[in-house]
Structure formats: structure tokens, C-alpha cells
Amino acid sequence: SEALAGGLYRFDLFNTVAVATALFRTVLTVAALELGWGLVGLGAAALIGSLFGYLWRMRMLYRLLPDLSIHPRLARPAVLKRIGGYSLYSFLLVLSGRLAFYSDSFVVGVFRGVEDIAVFGIAVKLVEYLRQMVFTMTKLFAPIASRYDPEVDRASLRRFFYDGSRLNLLFSLPLSLLLFFWGRPFIHLWVGDRFDSSVLILQILLVGHLLSFMQGIGGDILLGVGRHRLLALLSLA
């Protein structure tokens, strides 16, 4: 999938597969629920849907790159070392994000009790949906930034960061304001007025996330030019 979207700049194919896979997984999920297969059926639907997407992307890659060959004997120590170093800090960057945004429920449960997990989780879930929408757009910046040499094209990367940040803010600010001022009726419609205390938590989280949205593409640009080591360590810290 990353090869389609990043290496070949075929975002059209990547998004087509992503949308079709999501629709296929939804159909399987509904079918599993209608047939009464329970959680096992839901798990099987998710697995089959993911395999469907992976196999489709693999087929597209082989069609776009007919000379593509994958075999252990083609591996080179120098290339593996380079990829390993890049991937290690990419993994730490992803891990730090998971620790920052997915450990809240555990902390709330330990210090506040199980009842407050749901109240906090409603707000977190809405912000997470917003984050996914915003950062889906910013992922386009990493492969584009990879075309630049950080030692030679600093001015171009700086301008790229400024313009991308403006576009990111233009996209994320209206959505954040919408949730900030109209989050209450949405939460009431979604889960009822018993979670009214989630509204204030949602507004507090939105303020902090809006600041990250404004400069979020910086991390994607650093990933694109392979300068994300310090970012990963700071994020993990």
C-alpha cells in the first residue's frame, strides 16, 4: 500500500483500493451480524476484508512493476541496514503515538474508576476520528518530501512546510470548530445525554489537538527525507 501511495505516487489507486476494501469489510460485518456469528464472525470479517485489500494491492504492484521480484537471495546487507535504521525510528514514532493516545483509558481506569472510562472514551473517540481524517491528508506529504534533498533543497522544504501547514489548518480548523461548538448535540444524539460530561473533555482535547494539527505535517516531511530519528526519540520521551 505504501509503495502505491508513496513510491509510485498512485494515490488514485491507493484510495480506490482503500474505499473498496472498507465497503467490502462493512458488507462482511453486516452479514456476520445478521447470521448471528458474534465476535468470531466480526473477527473473520475483518481478516477477510484485510486480506482482500492486501491481495488487490499486491496485484496492482505487479501490474505496475512487471519486473518486480521478491526473493531472499536478492537481499543486500547494506540495503537491509539502511531500511532497518529507517524502520526502527519509524516504529518508535508510531509506538510513541500509540502510548500517547491509547493509554488514556488504562490511566483513567486506574485513577478514576471503570465508570469514567466510558465518559472519557466518548470524547477521545470523536477526537480520534478527527485525527484520522486530518492525518490521512498529511500522509501525502511524506512521499512528496522524499523528492527533496534536505542538504540542498532546504528552502523548498521550508516553503513546502509553510504551505502544507496552511492547507492543514484550512482543513482541520473548521472541523475542530464544528466539534467544539456542536459537540454536545452530536454526543446526545450518538450516546444520549447521560454522557453530557464528555462535552467539556472533548473541548479540552480539541484545543490541544488543533495545535498539533497546525504543525503535524512536519513529522511527515521528516519521515520523507529520513530525518525523523530525533523526532521519534522526543515523541517517545
Side-chain angles (χ1 to χ4, degrees):
S1 61
E2 296 300 327
L4 279 175
L8 300 176
Y9 296 98
R10 293 305 305 267
F11 301 106
D12 55 336
L13 296 178
F14 174 80
N15 290 322
T16 297
V17 175
V19 171
T21 301
L23 292 175
F24 181 61
R25 187 185 294 118
T26 301
V27 172
L28 292 178
T29 300
V30 173
L33 291 175
E34 290 291 338
L35 293 172
W37 290 351
L39 294 178
V40 175
L42 293 178
L47 174 62
I48 296 173
S50 298
L51 288 176
F52 170 78
Y54 293 145
L55 292 174
W56 191 359
R57 293 186 185 102
M58 184 175 68
R59 183 171 181 271
M60 281 187 172
L61 281 174
Y62 276 108
R63 291 187 61 182
L64 293 171
L65 301 171
D67 297 329
L68 178 64
S69 179
I70 302 176
H71 196 278
R73 59 182 170 79
L74 298 175
R76 298 292 183 269
V79 176
L80 291 176
K81 181 179 178 181
R82 183 179 180 184
I83 294 176
Y86 182 92
S87 301
L88 172 62
Y89 293 107
S90 298
F91 170 75
L92 292 178
L93 195 58
V94 173
L95 177 63
S96 65
R98 294 295 185 271
L99 290 174
F101 296 109
Y102 292 97
S103 60
D104 297 333
S105 296
F106 175 78
V107 176
V108 171
V110 171
F111 290 96
R112 293 288 301 174
V114 178
E115 296 81 6
D116 287 337
I117 294 179
V119 176
F120 190 82
I122 293 298
V124 170
K125 183 61 68 176
L126 288 175
V127 174
E128 178 61 23
Y129 289 149
L130 178 61
R131 287 183 68 250
Q132 290 177 357
M133 293 176 63
V134 173
F135 288 123
T136 296
M137 183 189 72
T138 62
K139 284 184 178 298
L140 301 176
F141 290 93
I144 297 176
S146 65
R147 297 183 298 180
Y148 296 97
D149 186 336
E151 298 296 337
V152 179
D153 303 314
R154 287 197 174 189
S156 298
L157 284 171
R158 189 180 297 114
R159 175 54 56 187
F160 185 46
F161 173 73
Y162 291 154
D163 293 342
S165 297
R166 293 189 184 99
L167 288 173
N168 202 21
L169 183 61
L170 182 65
F171 179 72
S172 61
L173 182 59
L175 295 175
S176 300
L177 291 176
L178 186 67
L179 271 181
F180 188 91
F181 290 106
W182 284 279
R184 185 184 304 276
F186 184 83
I187 290 177
H188 288 179
L189 181 63
W190 182 23
V191 292
D193 55 5
R194 66 185 184 278
F195 288 99
D196 191 71
S197 53
S198 299
V199 177
L200 179 59
I201 300 174
L202 172 64
Q203 293 173 335
I204 294 173
L205 293 176
L206 282 171
V207 173
H209 277 77
L210 183 59
L211 297 176
S212 70
F213 293 154
M214 293 169 61
Q215 50 80 47
I217 71 165
D220 292 285
I221 292 177
L222 290 173
L223 275 170
V225 298
R227 297 295 182 85
H228 57 293
R229 179 177 181 272
L230 179 59
L231 175 65
L233 296 177
L234 290 175
S235 299
L236 189 60

